[in-house]
Amino acid sequence: MPNLSQLLTSKSSAEYRRVFELCRDISSELDSVDGVYVVGGIVRDLILDRTPGDIDLSVVGNAKTFSQELASRIGAATPDESQFLTFKIRTSGIFSDVSSIDVVTARAESYADSAALPDVSVSSIDDDLKRRDFTVNAMAISLAGSDWGTLVDPKNGFGDVMRKRIKVLHDASFVDDPTRIFRAVRYAVRLGFNLDSRTNELISKSLPNIDRLSGTRVRNEFELVLSEPNRVEMLRMSEEIGLLAAISPGLRIGTKALQVLSDQSEQEVASTELPDLLAITTFGLNEDESKQVVQRFDAPPAWGESITGNAQLAKHVAVLDQPNLAPSEVSDLLRAIPLASISAYILAGPPLPRRDKLVEYVEKIRFIKPEITGDDLLEIGIPQGPIIGQLIDIVRRAKLDGKVSTKQEEIDLAKSRLPGFLTK
Ligand code: ATP
């Protein structure tokens, strides 16, 4: 086995080193711990000399006692126990490079049913690595004093890192867990690796298994793709391998949407909010297609609106090309449309006069509000009830069209519109 102690000491930052050294000390002190390993993505990233993410540790033995001891030595709160024998130590506020340390009990997993969550049992580090998704993620480095730095690599992940290859551990991998198809896309693009040819074949064969995943699981995976800096390439690849269509038949990413996302500056890539991303990504889907996508994702209202809003806007937007449209008419047309869909249309829609109207709505019209409030109307004797809202809306539209400008004019207009029976 190669020894990578060099990576633990010279390639990692002081914070990572401190954690690794504490692991070494604690493992030698605790009788209930037979081995401690840094595992998964961080090993891959250390080998690749990429900045690693949070720390994943695998403990052979009592992971609970181990994680409590580690938390106490770094001054963190008692770890949260999440799933089966998994403990999370929160380190934000203590460390700047590492926001959490996940400590798992080395375990084996088996899948009774395709796409279900696995059955889990305590096991060895080898079994723990064999339950993982890809060879490049199935490596561990020992942190125990006796074999500090020893690489455990039962599936030749090191070779695949060198060959820049994403390869599953066995042929049933995507059947056991179809979310790994999304993960394959994310790793291939993020690391600049290729899909190994057999893995590619298995993905094609396993695409129908995406249907077996719950809406929430598919949505989570899709959201992870959208939150990556390289999402354009990931969406493109997802489309090419048939993953988007496997999620929902009408789901595709149009060339205009790809163009908009590719043109984003680095700062926009980091700051674009999810509703805006969803609206851009699903731009061009018709009403039925977007409804199907929303249903497939079992989407919460904020997601649903951003996806269906595009088709809703597309139905009426041509009206905005008419000359001499009053601002109140623009507002009537757009008020019920999610802002994310309007912004997506501005970016991805055709350069017709409607675009200027949409921009005017987003930047100006939607902020124009009357000065009077319901309280002002109650004060002048208008009774409580729906009439208050109706009068405020009349005043709002008049203000938009420049027919009133002062508060007194607003009050006068409201009074003049009172139904006859109220003025008697
Ligand atoms: P990053 O956090 O940088 O996205 P990572 O490789 O650490 O990458 P995580 O999603 O944090 O990825 O998962 C940690 C490790 O757990 C992975 O490296 C992999 O070994 C394993 N893993 C995660 N999800 C799965 C899965 N669906 N099937 C098998 N193994 C998985």
Side-chain angles (χ1 to χ4, degrees), residues 337-356:
I337 310 281
L339 202 55
S341 307
I342 300 176
S343 304
Y345 201 98
I346 293 171
L347 293 168
L352 293 167
R354 64 187 72 168
R355 183 183 279 173
D356 294 338

Side-chain angles (χ1 to χ4, degrees), residues 40-41 44 56 131-133 137 177 180 183 187 190:
R44 173 201 72 213
D56 289 316
R131 74 183 165 89
R132 290 171 187 265
D133 46 5
N137 288 341
D177 181 357
R180 291 174 185 161
R183 296 178 65 84
Y187 287 123
R190 195 199 294 165

